[in-house]
Amino acid sequence: MPSMVDPPGASDHALEDTSRVPPLSDRDRSRAHTDAELRMTLSAELAAPSLARERLSRWLAGHRWPAGQRDDLILAVSEAVSNSVEHGYGVDHGAVVERGGPVEVHGIVVAEPDGRRRAVLTVVDRGSWLPPSAFRGNRRHGLPLMEACVETLTVDGTDGGTTVVLRSRAVPPPA
Amino acid sequence: MKVRTDDRPDAVVLGVDGEIDGLTAPRLRAAIDAAYEQLDGRPLVVDLTDVTFLGSPGLQVLLDSAREAVHHRGFETLRIVVDHTRPVVRPIELTGLDAVLTLFHSVTDALDG
């Protein structure tokens, strides 16, 4: 039987590689799975949706989200961030561009009793949301599109800002 | 997002590459408008097979451009090429625009149309 010898430095904490996550117990592994949150704070700029898509895509890939469902969530979050930028803060191509307040995107993965998972994405701005009836032509498809991409969509708008909560369809546990 | 213009004897084909969102959709609209000025009776084909994202601003550009062709310029309708495996078909179908836009699976099909 080969002898097990620790590699040099394995027990030397001063040399510990802080980029490596220590091994998790099974219980911690399942909790860490839902603890791996997405948090983004974006400036209200026309490029914000693109940044949100990119980061969300990586986060979902990290959670082994199925590709088709990933596309739907990316579409929905992109629309929500666009709305925050264009309506919440009034940033548009033709208008004088004033850097608006931040758009915050938060994501968690929630496990269901049967092992399936859902992602819950929240998009928050502190601008002044226009009611859907006031939407200009280029936003007409935004809300219905968001709604079709997720299980549930809630939009909470006040004078102080808007919170959009997107709850995804359930997907299988990671393979 | 990039738009390539292919000026052919039988058609003008705009090849779109990348993401079409609020930031880039106006450039697509400008490219389509420029193409409308030089059609001379040829059909305009917009090829979306290399598009990796299509949001509502892009959908609106496609819809507005299609309407402009027929209702304002008296052209035949805009021909749009989509690849079924891409995340481009999904928003088109979710919004019901597949019943409104004239879609093809390939540029070849669009040119035969």
Side-chain angles (χ1 to χ4, degrees), chain B residues 59-113:
Chain B
L59 292 171
Q60 197 62 48
V61 162
L62 296 175
L63 185 56
D64 289 345
S65 301
R67 285 183 177 149
E68 161 127 5
V70 173
H71 298 301
H72 297 129
R73 294 184 183 252
F75 295 162
E76 56 152 275
T77 188
L78 187 64
R79 303 180 190 185
I80 297 169
V81 179
V82 294
D83 179 337
H84 269 297
T85 64
R86 294 281 180 176
V88 169
V89 177
R90 184 81 172 136
I92 290 174
E93 290 177 345
L94 287 176
T95 52
L97 284 182
D98 52 338
V100 176
L101 300 173
T102 306
L103 303 173
F104 299 89
H105 295 331
S106 69
V107 173
T108 312
D109 286 351
L111 295 174
D112 287 344

Side-chain angles (χ1 to χ4, degrees), chain A residues 73 110 112 118-122 146-147 149-154 164-170:
Chain A
L73 279 177
V110 180
E112 309 229 301
R118 294 185 198 271
V120 182
L121 280 306
T122 308
M146 281 166 61
E147 206 158 23
C149 287
V150 296
E151 182 89 9
T152 60
L153 164 70
T154 57
V164 173
V165 182
L166 301 150
R167 192 164 149 269
S168 81
R169 299 198 178 91

Side-chain angles (χ1 to χ4, degrees), chain A residues 26-102:
Chain A
D26 284 344
R27 185 179 62 102
D28 282 0
R29 194 188 311 277
S30 66
R31 266 205 290 128
H33 177 62
T34 57
D35 284 346
E37 298 180 16
L38 173 70
R39 283 193 184 279
M40 282 187 264
T41 302
L42 304 160
S43 302
E45 302 170 304
L46 288 170
S50 172
L51 294 171
R53 291 195 298 269
E54 192 189 344
R55 288 213 42 203
L56 177 60
S57 180
R58 280 191 270 132
W59 182 71
L60 288 171
H63 277 283
R64 309 270 189 278
W65 220 255
Q69 298 284 345
R70 230 188 284 170
D71 287 343
D72 281 4
L73 279 177
I74 289 167
L75 180 54
V77 170
S78 184
E79 294 292 324
V81 172
S82 289
N83 286 340
S84 286
V85 168
E86 290 173 37
H87 288 278
Y89 295 120
V91 179
D92 197 356
H93 288 273
V96 171
V97 175
E98 232 180 66
R99 287 281 179 90

